[in-house]
């Protein structure tokens, strides 16, 4: 390559390329016109500017220069103009923008003060330095600017604290009770331990309180996805989702709001994954995670730790709206159009309103068809002695479905009766007045609701049933019309008392309240992916939850009949209106102007009406013939394919929603522990959220234990509650996540 090229503006000479030198990786060789032109060092920004300006003034195209030297095309114009008008010296100094506040003298002063204050172990160092700079130089600088100036000092001090062989120093700190040795996975393994030894403040320190509950509810789930060769494995990704939603980061896109250096503590890594990494890991999780097995294992953990002792389950659908432009299946709502089962969760909750499992399914079945599937799933997980009881809304009311509970499902049901038009006020029923207690803000003063209960004789049919009628005092405007309001329910539980059955049903509101919590605080209705796909013949072939006749041979009412019947009804109304007008004109005459029917029909306006009537009659006959030629019911899948409907790809959303439900149950377990120390239900949950979102100082002591000092609250009473809560958390022996499960001890920081 000893040949020299001739610099020119010909197309051939504009072939520019920059490659890394083989002998020196920091050196960049520039080839112009297929021959070596010059070289510059990668860290020499001024040399690169001069080269850009030189090539720009030589008439080379801006796009060729920007592609070869990896610079913005607009900079080519600016550097060329500056070099042409002001000379090369103009590229050596960039005087754009306002002059910086931090001069060299101020920078030296800030670094010196930072070294002294940190050596003395002072806290809140940046506000103190900010005040000293203002007093001495009369300049007010921000704490962020102080942080940037002191970065070299912090790195130097951290390096001075680090041992030459960190493995030898940290291994004795780890417990010998089966804990793995520290693993260096490239970035995060060693980095976090070094920072823990030095100690640091994290605004997410309170989130470590949840570690013990996350470990219990995910036992047997995370272990199989551990990868010591990766800085962020699937296990770390799953913990990241569970922890981040506690801090209102309810979707992947909000990860950019996180302070990654501080949040990594909750995952057991030096820095938490970036937004780009989380997107990539979510796509990887779709391929690696078996959500069917994970959901079953999580449900077993919920029943063991959170819902132990429950034998009553609540099943209901949670609908999510869709406002996109794709052609999807729509259902009906009194407020607005909602998507039907196309973006619908079918949830199962325990008797306290905690979600046990759910299914996110396509609209190829209705609730009545899917209810037995959820019952079978719960029964495969339930290990109680008596039959489980399933409570659901009147939408699932169907006698054929009730027969399945007695024969094949082996479970009890409780459901409101549907379309019960009996006037119970006229029936000779004897009601027992029973008081039900609802927990309010003050435990000693629960809300009392009095309900009259009366049981009717057994209902005849395929299975044994009990019908129970409820009566309650009418209030507000209704009490002006009637004294009581009545409703009825049916059940196949012949052994339980009627008061117990009514109590199971009226506590169904807990499930509805949980839907609001999951939507408002955990983003269960958030869109995770915009991926959609067309319906095809084999789209449901892999669905093993429902029988094949529900998957492939599902029939539906012919959708082409609906607009035809609507048009038929409209034409009939128009014909009836014409007949009415003709009758009025013919027979409503006075005695002086009496006319025969034939004379009346000869009126001009009547002739026009008769012509219009004949046209409508012919249209009506054509529509009736078309309706008769069309089948009453058609294959639903074929109809969806023919109509070019779209369906959602739920692979990513299923992962996110499963982990969000786990996060919700993690917080509920923490709330049950917190209830031992703070029973003011007005702000109990709000108080716990404040603790979780509170910051603290974290440091690894000489005994191999991570000490977390939570920042105290303003009042002594709150700090007392916090101290007692932390004491119970410490008794559960929490540990860090990640490659080094170090034990954690919490305490309230100094005021």
């Amino acid at each position: 390559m000893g040949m020299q090229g001739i610099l020119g503006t010909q197309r051939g000479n504009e072939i520019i390329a920059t490659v890394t030198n083989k002998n020196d990786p920091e050196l960049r060789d520039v080839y112009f016109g297929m021959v070596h032109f010059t070289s510059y060092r990668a860290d020499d920004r001024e040399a690169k500017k001069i080269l850009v300006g030189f090539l720009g003034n030589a008439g080379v195209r801006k796009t060729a220069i920007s592609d070869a030297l990896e610079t913005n095309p607009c900079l080519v114009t600016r550097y060329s103009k500056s070099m042409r008008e002001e000379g090369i010296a103009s590229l050596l100094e960039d005087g754009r923008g306002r002059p910086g506040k931090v001069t060299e003298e101020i920078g030296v002063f800030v670094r010196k003060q930072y070294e002294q204050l940190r050596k003395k172990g002072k806290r809140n160092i940046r506000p103190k330095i900010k005040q000293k700079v203002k007093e001495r130089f009369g300049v007010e600088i921000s704490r962020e600017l102080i942080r940037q100036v002191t970065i070299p000092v912090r790195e130097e001090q951290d390096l001075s604290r680090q041992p030459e062989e960190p493995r030898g120093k940290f291994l004795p700190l780890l417990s010998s009770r089966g804990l793995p040795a520290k693993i260096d996975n490239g970035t995060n393994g060693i980095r976090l331990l070094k920072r823990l030894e030095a100690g640091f403040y994290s605004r997410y320190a309170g989130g470590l309180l949840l570690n013990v509950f996350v470990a219990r509810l995910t036992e047997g789930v995370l272990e199989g996805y551990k990868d010591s060769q990766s800085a962020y494995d699937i296990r770390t990704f799953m913990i990241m989702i569970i922890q981040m939603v506690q801090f209102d980061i309810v979707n992947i896109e909000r990860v950019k709001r996180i302070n990654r250096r501080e949040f990594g503590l909750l995952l057991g890594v030096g820095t938490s994954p970036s937004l780009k990494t989380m997107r990539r890991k979510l796509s990887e999780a779709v391929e690696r995670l078996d959500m069917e097995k994970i959901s079953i294992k999580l449900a077993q953990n919920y029943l063991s730790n959170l819902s132990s002792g429950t034998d009553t389950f609540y099943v209901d659908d949670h609908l999510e709206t869709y406002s996109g432009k794709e052609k999807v299946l729509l259902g009906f709502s009194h407020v607005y159009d909602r998507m039907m089962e196309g973006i619908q969760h079918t949830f199962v909750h325990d008797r306290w309103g905690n979600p046990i499992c759910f299914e996110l399914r396509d609209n190829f079945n209705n609730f009545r068809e899917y209810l037995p599937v959820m019952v079978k799933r719960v029964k495969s997980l339930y290990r109680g002695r008596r039959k489980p009881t399933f409570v659901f809304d009147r939408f699932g009311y169907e006698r054929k479905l009730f027969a399945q509970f007695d024969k094949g499902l082996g479970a009890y049901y409780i459901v409101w009766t549907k379309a019960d038009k009996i006037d119970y006020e006229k029936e000779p029923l004897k009601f027992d007045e029973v008081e039900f207690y609802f927990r309010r803000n003050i435990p000693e003063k629960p809300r009392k609701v009095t309900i009259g209960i009366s049981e009717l004789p057994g209902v005849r049919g395929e299975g044994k049933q009990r019908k129970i009628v409820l009566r309650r005092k009418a209030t507000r405007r209704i009490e002006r019309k009637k004294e009581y309001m009545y409703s009825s329910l049916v059940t196949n539980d012949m052994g339980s008392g009627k008061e117990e059955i009514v109590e199971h049903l009226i506590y169904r509101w807990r499930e509805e309240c949980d839907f609001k919590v999951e939507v408002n605080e955990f983003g269960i209705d958030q869109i995770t992916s915009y991926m959609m796909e067309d319906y095809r013949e084999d789209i449901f072939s892999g669905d093993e939850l429902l029988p094949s006749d529900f998957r492939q041979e599902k029939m539906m009412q012919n959708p082409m009949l609906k607009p035809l019947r609507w048009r038929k009804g409209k034409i009939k109304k128009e014909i009836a209106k014409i007949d009415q007008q003709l009758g009025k004109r013919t027979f409503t005459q006075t005695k002086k102007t009496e006319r025969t029917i034939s004379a009346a029909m000869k009126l001009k306006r009547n002739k026009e009406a008769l012509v219009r009537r004949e046209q409508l009659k012919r249209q009506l006959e054509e529509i009736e013939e078309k309706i008769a030629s069309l089948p009453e019911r058609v294959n639903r899948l074929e109809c969806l394919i023919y109509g070019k409907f779209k369906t959602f790809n739920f692979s990513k959303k299923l992962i996110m929603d499963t982990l969000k439900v786990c996060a919700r149950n993690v917080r509920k377990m923490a709330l049950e522990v917190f209830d031992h120390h703070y029973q003011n239900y007005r702000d109990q949950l709000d108080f716990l959220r404040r603790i979780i979102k509170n910051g603290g100082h974290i440091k690894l002591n000489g005994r191999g234990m991570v000490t977390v000092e939570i920042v105290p609250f303003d009042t002594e009473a709150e700090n007392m509650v916090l101290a007692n809560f932390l004491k119970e958390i410490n008794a559960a022996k929490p540990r860090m996540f990640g490659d080094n499960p170090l034990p954690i001890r919490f305490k309230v920081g100094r005021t």
Side-chain angles (χ1 to χ4, degrees):
M1 302 296 283
M3 296 176 59
Q4 295 297 318
I6 301 174
L7 182 62
T9 58
Q10 294 85 359
R11 290 285 180 181
N13 282 344
E14 289 189 3
I15 301 176
I16 309 174
T18 304
V19 296
T20 304
N21 191 288
K22 296 181 180 179
N23 300 325
D24 188 356
E26 297 297 326
L27 197 64
R28 301 292 184 267
D29 294 332
V30 181
Y31 289 86
F32 185 82
M34 304 298 292
V35 295
H36 182 263
F37 174 64
T38 186
S39 301
Y40 69 94
R41 299 197 65 82
D43 56 352
D44 193 346
R45 297 177 59 188
E46 286 75 14
K48 184 177 178 179
K49 289 181 180 180
I50 294 172
L51 182 59
V52 170
F54 179 74
L55 293 172
N57 287 323
V60 183
R61 288 176 301 150
K62 290 190 298 183
T63 54
I65 300 173
S66 63
D67 293 341
L69 300 178
E70 297 180 353
T71 186
N72 197 304
C74 66
L75 295 179
V76 177
T77 304
R78 185 161 64 86
Y79 293 159
S80 302
K81 184 178 179 181
S82 299
M83 185 176 180
R84 185 173 59 253
E85 296 178 355
E86 303 176 17
I88 295 179
S90 62
L91 301 180
L92 302 179
E93 296 181 1
D94 193 352
R96 294 179 303 151
R98 294 179 297 178
K101 291 183 178 180
V102 180
T103 62
E104 186 176 353
E105 184 181 3
I106 295 177
V108 173
F109 176 79
V110 169
R111 286 189 286 271
K112 186 175 181 181
Q113 290 295 323
Y114 184 85
E115 290 178 358
Q116 294 176 358
L117 293 174
R118 189 170 180 182
K119 190 178 294 184
K120 293 178 181 179
K122 299 291 185 180
R123 294 183 179 179
N124 300 325
I125 296 177
R126 293 176 196 169
K128 294 177 181 177
I129 296 178
K130 179 180 178 181
Q131 184 64 27
K132 290 184 178 182
V133 171
K134 186 175 181 181
E135 292 174 356
R136 180 163 179 174
F137 299 97
V139 178
E140 187 169 350
I141 60 177
S142 64
R143 287 184 289 179
E144 173 61 21
L145 196 54
I146 296 173
R147 186 190 69 81
Q148 294 177 4
V149 173
T150 57
I151 286 177
V153 181
R154 293 200 305 274
E155 291 179 351
E156 184 178 351
Q157 290 183 353
D158 291 342
L159 287 174
S160 63
R161 292 171 178 266
Q162 297 170 7
E164 295 181 359
E165 296 181 0
R167 180 178 294 274
K169 181 172 182 179
F170 282 102
L171 278 177
L173 300 179
L174 298 175
S175 173
S176 59
R177 299 179 181 179
L179 290 180
K182 179 177 58 58
I183 300 173
D184 180 11
N185 55 18
T187 54
N188 285 318
I190 279 182
R191 186 182 301 174
L192 180 62
L193 287 177
K194 292 176 181 177
R195 294 183 62 212
L196 288 174
E197 187 190 34
F200 62 97
Y201 173 85
S202 173
R203 71 195 72 183
Y204 308 106
L208 288 172
L209 293 165
L210 302 176
N211 279 23
V212 60
F213 307 111
V214 175
R216 289 179 185 176
L217 294 187
T218 60
E219 184 179 2
V221 176
L222 302 177
E223 290 77 3
Y225 303 100
K226 179 180 178 181
D227 184 5
S228 60
Q229 303 301 321
S230 174
Y232 303 113
D233 50 17
I234 297 297
R235 175 191 60 171
T236 303
F237 165 79
M238 297 171 73
I239 298 174
M240 176 79 176
I241 301 297
I242 295 173
Q243 291 283 24
M244 75 184 193
V245 296
Q246 310 290 351
F247 296 88
D248 303 324
I249 313 297
V250 295
N251 56 45
I252 291 290
E253 299 305 316
R254 293 189 187 180
V255 172
K256 55 190 173 186
R257 302 181 185 179
I258 293 177
N259 186 311
R260 296 174 53 208
R261 185 173 175 82
E262 295 181 9
F263 196 87
L265 176 75
L266 303 181
L267 320 179
V269 296
T271 57
S272 62
S274 63
L275 174 59
K276 183 177 180 180
T277 303
M278 289 295 290
R279 288 172 178 166
R280 178 170 51 84
K281 284 297 176 182
L282 180 57
S283 300
E284 182 181 340
V286 171
E287 300 177 358
R288 292 191 55 189
L289 296 180
D290 187 346
M291 293 311 300
E292 183 73 18
K293 293 182 179 178
I294 289 177
S295 299
I296 293 175
K297 185 59 181 178
L298 287 174
Q300 292 173 343
N301 292 340
Y302 299 154
L303 290 172
S304 301
N305 295 277
L306 184 64
S307 307
S308 179
T310 186
D311 54 13
T312 305
F313 300 93
Y314 298 87
V315 188
D316 200 3
D317 283 343
H318 169 60
L319 298 172
E320 298 178 12
T321 57
Y322 171 74
S323 57
K325 297 181 180 179
E326 296 289 349
K327 189 177 180 181
V328 295
L329 295 167
L330 293 178
F332 174 77
S333 169
H334 294 288
V335 183
Y336 42 66
D337 283 340
R338 289 176 179 261
M339 287 202 62
M340 295 172 65
E341 291 88 341
I343 188 166
Q344 171 176 326
H345 295 86
T346 302
F347 270 93
V348 177
H349 288 70
D350 65 9
R351 63 183 303 173
W352 301 285
N354 303 313
I356 301 299
C357 60
F358 74 91
E359 280 294 332
L360 185 60
R361 298 185 53 79
D362 191 87
N363 185 20
F364 203 67
N365 55 280
N366 58 37
F367 180 75
R368 296 187 189 93
E369 295 167 351
Y370 193 54
L371 180 60
V373 176
M374 298 304 290
V375 172
K376 292 177 182 178
R377 166 164 290 190
V378 174
K379 282 200 66 178
S380 66
L381 304 171
Y382 176 69
R383 295 293 181 266
R385 294 183 177 180
R386 71 186 301 266
K387 286 183 180 180
T389 300
F390 291 88
V391 184
F392 48 96
D393 204 354
R394 58 172 52 89
F395 183 74
Y397 186 94
E398 190 180 58
R399 293 299 298 271
K400 184 178 179 181
L401 176 63
F402 295 159
Q404 295 183 41
F405 276 86
D406 290 324
K407 297 179 180 178
L409 298 178
Y412 297 128
Y413 63 82
I414 303 175
V415 61
W416 293 107
T417 54
K418 188 176 182 180
D420 190 358
K421 299 181 180 180
I422 300 176
D423 188 357
Y424 292 105
E425 197 165 0
K426 298 179 181 179
E427 296 291 329
L429 300 177
K430 183 179 180 182
F431 289 90
D432 298 330
E433 301 294 333
V434 181
E435 285 188 340
F436 294 93
Y437 295 86
F438 294 86
R439 189 174 76 172
R440 305 189 74 182
N441 295 329
I442 305 174
E444 292 78 15
K445 297 180 180 180
R447 181 185 178 188
K448 299 179 182 179
V449 178
T450 302
I451 298 178
I453 303 176
S454 178
E455 184 171 354
L456 298 179
V459 180
R460 297 179 180 179
E462 295 184 33
K464 295 182 179 179
Q465 279 188 349
R466 297 169 64 185
K467 188 172 185 178
I468 299 174
V469 181
L470 308 182
R471 183 183 73 177
R472 188 180 175 189
K473 275 277 188 181
T475 58
R476 299 180 182 178
R477 291 175 295 178
I478 302 178
E479 65 182 345
R480 302 174 188 174
K481 301 179 181 179
K482 53 185 179 181
E483 185 179 2
Y484 293 100
M485 296 184 297
Y486 296 88
S487 56
S488 59
L489 61 94
V490 292
T491 180
N492 64 339
D493 186 354
M494 312 302 291
S496 301
K498 56 185 178 182
E499 296 84 2
E500 184 181 357
I501 292 174
V502 172
E503 185 178 22
H504 289 331
L505 186 61
I506 63 177
Y507 278 121
R508 205 187 72 83
W509 61 270
R510 292 172 173 171
E511 184 179 36
E512 300 295 343
C513 292
D514 181 67
F515 286 151
K516 294 182 180 179
V517 172
E518 293 181 11
V519 170
N520 296 333
E521 299 188 34
F522 294 93
I524 199 71
D525 60 343
Q526 296 270 338
I527 294 177
T528 304
S529 172
Y530 292 92
M531 293 190 300
M532 304 185 82
E533 56 186 13
D534 296 322
Y535 285 95
R536 58 186 188 277
E537 292 183 359
D538 60 340
I539 191 170
F540 300 110
S541 59
D543 190 351
E544 301 298 335
L545 289 176
L546 292 174
S548 59
D549 57 339
F550 287 156
R551 298 198 307 267
Q552 303 296 111
E553 304 301 329
K554 174 73 175 177
M555 304 298 289
M556 63 176 287
Q557 190 175 14
N558 193 338
M560 298 181 67
L561 294 175
K562 186 175 181 180
L564 292 174
R565 287 170 176 169
W566 177 83
R567 179 62 181 162
K568 176 182 175 181
K570 191 173 181 180
I571 292 175
K572 282 187 172 182
K573 288 180 181 179
E574 290 187 26
I575 293 176
K577 189 175 180 179
I578 292 174
D579 292 343
Q580 185 182 15
Q581 293 296 329
L582 288 173
K584 286 182 179 180
R585 295 168 186 168
T586 304
F587 301 107
T588 59
Q589 309 298 326
T590 62
K591 291 183 178 180
K592 294 181 180 180
T593 58
E594 284 186 354
R595 287 191 294 262
T596 62
I597 295 177
S598 59
M601 298 297 285
K602 294 178 182 179
L603 294 175
K604 182 178 180 181
R605 55 183 177 178
N606 285 359
K607 290 181 179 179
E608 294 176 352
L610 288 171
V611 171
R612 174 62 179 162
R613 190 181 189 281
E614 289 297 323
Q615 292 176 351
L616 292 174
K617 189 175 181 180
R618 285 195 298 270
Q619 293 180 15
L620 182 62
E621 292 174 354
E622 292 176 0
I623 291 177
E624 288 178 343
E625 290 178 3
K626 197 168 185 180
I627 290 176
S629 64
L630 294 174
E632 186 72 21
R633 301 183 68 80
V634 294
N635 184 285
R636 191 168 197 180
L637 183 56
E638 293 179 0
C639 182
L640 295 175
I641 296 173
Y642 177 78
K644 297 182 180 179
F645 280 82
K646 296 283 186 179
T647 182
F648 292 91
N649 187 327
F650 291 127
S651 56
K652 292 185 178 180
K653 183 172 175 58
L654 181 61
I655 294 174
M656 291 292 295
D657 288 354
T658 301
L659 297 176
K660 287 177 182 179
V661 169
C662 182
R664 182 266 177 212
N665 287 338
V666 164
R667 195 182 71 178
K668 184 60 183 295
M669 281 192 69
L671 186 64
E672 290 185 353
V673 175
F674 188 64
D675 184 64
H676 303 160
H677 311 286
Y678 188 77
Q679 296 183 346
N680 187 351
Y681 306 116
R682 180 183 289 107
D683 64 340
Q684 186 184 57
L685 181 57
D686 180 65
F687 196 173
L688 177 63
R689 280 197 296 254
R690 288 165 54 203
I691 295 176
I692 294 173
K693 296 180 180 181
N694 206 0
H697 297 272
I698 304 99
K699 188 176 177 61
L700 181 65
N701 61 24
R703 298 187 301 275
M705 180 175 289
V706 177
T707 304
V708 181
E709 294 187 9
I710 302 294
V711 174
F713 293 108
D714 296 332
T715 65
E716 184 178 352
E718 288 178 325
N719 291 330
M720 183 68 69
V721 173
L722 176 59
N724 294 333
F725 178 54
L726 295 182
K727 185 177 180 181
E728 186 166 356
I729 294 294
N730 290 333
K733 299 180 180 180
R735 291 185 174 273
M736 298 280 292
F737 288 118
D739 296 326
N740 295 283
L742 299 170
I744 309 174
R745 182 172 183 81
F746 296 94
K747 63 180 180 180
V748 182
R750 291 173 291 179
T751 56

